[in-house]
Structure formats: C-alpha cells, structure tokens
Amino acid sequence: MAALVAAARAADCPYEVALVASDKPDAAGLAYAAGQGVATFAHSPRGIPKAEYEAAIDTALRDAGVGTIALAGYMRLLSGAFVAKWRDRIVNIHPSLLPAYKGLDTHARAIAAGDAEAGCSVHVVTEELDAGSVLAQARVPILPGDTADTLAARVLVEEHRLYPRTLAEYVTR
C-alpha cells in the first residue's frame, strides 16, 4: 500500500490513492496513509454479517470516488456479490507465480517443492481465490539456504516495484 501511495505522488502517475481501507482499525498502514493526506476507512468486521460489512466498504469506496480497488495486504476473502459489483475493477498482488501456490504460505510451499524460483503476481480479482487473469509477474531465485522469511523479504522488494507499475498500466487501459 505504501508503495502505491508513494508512486501516486509522481507527476506522471495515472492514478491517485483516494482511500485506504482496512478491516483492522489499528493497522499501521492507516496511520501511514493519514500522514500522507490520504483518506482512510477502518472498520472491524467482528459481529457484523459479511454482507453488511461489505456494504459499508462499498459505500466508503464509492463516496471516495474510487474507480479501481487495489488490494494490498487485505487478507479477507471478498464475497462473490462484492466482486461482481466491482467486476474487472479489483486487482491484487499475490506472493507467488500464479497459478502456482494460491492462498497462504506461498514461500514455504515453493521452497518445499524444490522450485528454482518464486516471485509475485498482480492479477484481476474474481470470485475464485487467486484465479483471475495475471497482469504481470516478477521472478526471484530461490537461493540455497533460503527460508520462507528470507525469500519473502526478496519477493517483497519486487512486489513494491511491480504493483505500482502494473496498476498504472491497468487503469489506463
């Protein structure tokens, strides 16, 4: 999220970050966004039906004039109804070379499989987990002695490079 906000500050960036939303009111990214002058929305989903919670997020996004949702660190599964309302206007960054290793624990799974490389993918969000069209990928070698944490750190560097560039290309299509 911070990489997207920073990239949006460039004069030639075709997008702006209109709202940073989180399901965790104490998320560090909210403080960062507010410090950058970006509007925030934070609301815990605990004790609220999923449809009601997603309706609140939908309202906040529309009120902020959001045209495309860029997920970054949002770990809740979106309902099919929410995705349908925003069809082809939600993108996500995932820490694997999709379609490999959908879901969680991607780095450990790639190491355990003996893969030579890992990476990240920016994809369009659909109702199926991590299954939308892949827009771009960045590859990172898996080094001897890598752990999930060391690999994750190197992949994160590539995520910060790939996501802003890919989002910029996507919103200008």
Side-chain angles (χ1 to χ4, degrees):
M1 179 276 302
L4 297 176
V5 170
R9 301 278 187 233
D12 61 344
C13 186
Y15 68 84
E16 67 176 272
V17 178
L19 180 71
V20 171
S22 178
D23 62 334
K24 297 177 182 166
D26 60 347
L30 293 169
Y32 171 82
Q36 298 297 309
V38 177
T40 62
F41 171 87
H43 193 62
S44 173
R46 291 195 176 143
I48 301 171
K50 186 170 190 156
E52 185 178 323
Y53 178 75
E54 287 184 344
I57 292 175
D58 182 69
T59 297
L61 292 166
R62 292 179 191 283
D63 288 351
V66 170
T68 302
I69 299 170
L71 300 175
Y74 191 76
M75 299 301 289
R76 297 181 58 82
L77 295 177
L78 298 169
S79 71
F82 185 89
V83 172
K85 285 182 186 179
W86 289 88
R87 173 110 24 243
D88 296 327
R89 294 184 297 143
I90 307 174
V91 295
N92 189 29
I93 183 87
H94 182 73
S96 80
L97 297 172
L98 292 173
Y101 310 117
K102 297 176 182 183
L104 301 174
D105 303 317
T106 60
H107 307 300
R109 290 161 59 200
I111 292 167
D115 293 352
E117 60 184 5
C120 54
S121 304
V122 177
H123 66 95
V124 176
V125 173
T126 63
E127 291 84 352
E128 187 180 341
L129 178 66
D130 298 328
S133 300
V134 173
L135 302 172
Q137 294 182 315
R139 296 176 181 278
V140 173
I142 296 177
L143 303 175
D146 254 338
T147 66
D149 289 339
T150 60
L151 179 57
R154 288 197 322 281
V155 170
L156 185 61
V157 170
E158 294 305 316
E159 287 181 30
H160 290 169
R161 291 180 186 152
L162 182 68
Y163 204 4
R165 183 180 73 241
T166 305
L167 180 60
E169 292 169 2
Y170 191 71
V171 301
T172 57
R173 289 181 182 179

